[in-house]
Every structure is written in structure tokens, then in C-alpha cells.
Amino acid sequence: MNSTHASGDLSVLVTGTSSDAHTWNLVFLQLVLEEMGHTVTNLGPCSPDELVVRECLDRRPGLVVVSSVNGHGFNDGLHLIKALRARPELARTKVVIGGKLSTDGLRNVGWARQLTSEGYDAVFENGELGRFRTLVSGLGARAVS
């Protein structure tokens, strides 16, 4: 786990999914968020759902960013959001997911709808960094968990 402290007004928890061993995406997201002036805790790859829930309960981040590169983001993401939303204390925590959500690499609008209906506040496909930055910029000091 890697934590940084910036002068930003948003505390962000970045994590990979439980089956995703990739790290470059997590480091990239951390750097983007730090560049925007936010404090980042990076749980790293293959983070078990229980660890993410515990860290969210302990840290109460203004935003949780879940990233997947291995193509299992949809399935792993569903398990994680259900675990997070099962805790009443985390019901209002902003949680987003993005990256490669399927192994076929195709965009699936139905999956994005299901992920949001299960509790994600936003779903980002590959190449939507601008939209991600816009969302994060809009949270700022107003983010309350």
C-alpha cells in the first residue's frame, strides 16, 4: 500500500480488483490524482474485497477508484461494489470503476448500466481520462462520505 499526502481537498483510495495483478494503471491513476492536488492511498493490485472495505471504513475517502486491466473488471467489480454497499457507513461513498471491463475488449453498455445500478457512481471505459478528470474536479471539497 502506498499513501501520499497532497494539499488537495479530496482523499482518494485507488485499488485494483481482486484478480488483477497489473500495477501501471494504478500508479498512473495515482499520479493523475496527485497532479490534481489530491491525497491518494494506493492499495495496489489484487486487493481482496475485504481489504478495500476495511480501508474505506478506516480512511473514509471522498472517492474510491477501482481499475482493471486484465478484463475481469465487470465480474470483480460487481463483487466489490456489493461488499462496499453492504456497509451502511459506505452507502454515500463515491465509487467509480474503469479500465478493461471484459476480456473481449468490446464496450458493453449493458454492463455499465448494471455496474451503476449496483452502486458505482460512474463507469469509465478505456480512453475516458478527460471524463474521469472532470468527475474528480467536480467532487473537490464537496466530497463527503
Side-chain angles (χ1 to χ4, degrees):
M1 180 177 359
N2 180 19
S3 293
T4 63
H5 301 285
S7 60
D9 51 8
L10 184 63
S11 170
V12 183
L13 187 133
V14 173
T15 185
T17 61
S18 58
S19 72
D20 199 324
H22 294 87
T23 58
W24 64 265
N25 52 315
L26 304 174
V27 172
F28 177 78
L29 286 166
Q30 179 177 341
L31 292 172
V32 166
L33 290 160
E34 288 173 349
E35 181 182 84
M36 296 176 74
H38 302 300
T39 301
V40 178
T41 299
N42 188 337
L43 296 183
C46 296
S47 298
D49 294 351
E50 300 79 24
L51 172 66
V52 179
V53 170
R54 186 174 66 244
E55 289 295 321
C56 285
L57 290 169
D58 290 348
R59 297 176 184 277
R60 300 299 172 113
L63 175 64
V64 177
V65 179
V66 181
S67 179
S68 174
V69 175
N70 71 352
H72 300 285
F74 174 76
N75 291 325
D76 290 348
L78 278 179
H79 294 289
L80 177 56
I81 197 64
K82 288 177 182 180
L84 289 168
R85 296 306 187 213
R87 298 301 302 250
E89 310 96 306
L90 303 176
R92 297 183 58 197
T93 302
K94 295 283 185 195
V95 184
V96 301
I97 188 169
K100 190 174 177 190
L101 301 178
S102 70
T103 55
D104 63 14
L106 300 175
R107 183 180 180 131
N108 188 317
V109 175
W111 287 357
R113 284 188 190 129
Q114 186 172 353
L115 288 166
T116 54
S117 73
E118 293 290 340
Y120 281 99
D121 294 284
V123 177
F124 298 94
E125 300 287 337
N126 287 327
E128 291 190 299
L129 184 59
R131 190 167 74 88
F132 174 74
R133 284 178 181 263
T134 299
L135 178 131
V136 173
S137 293
L139 294 176
R142 294 187 312 264
V144 176
S145 56

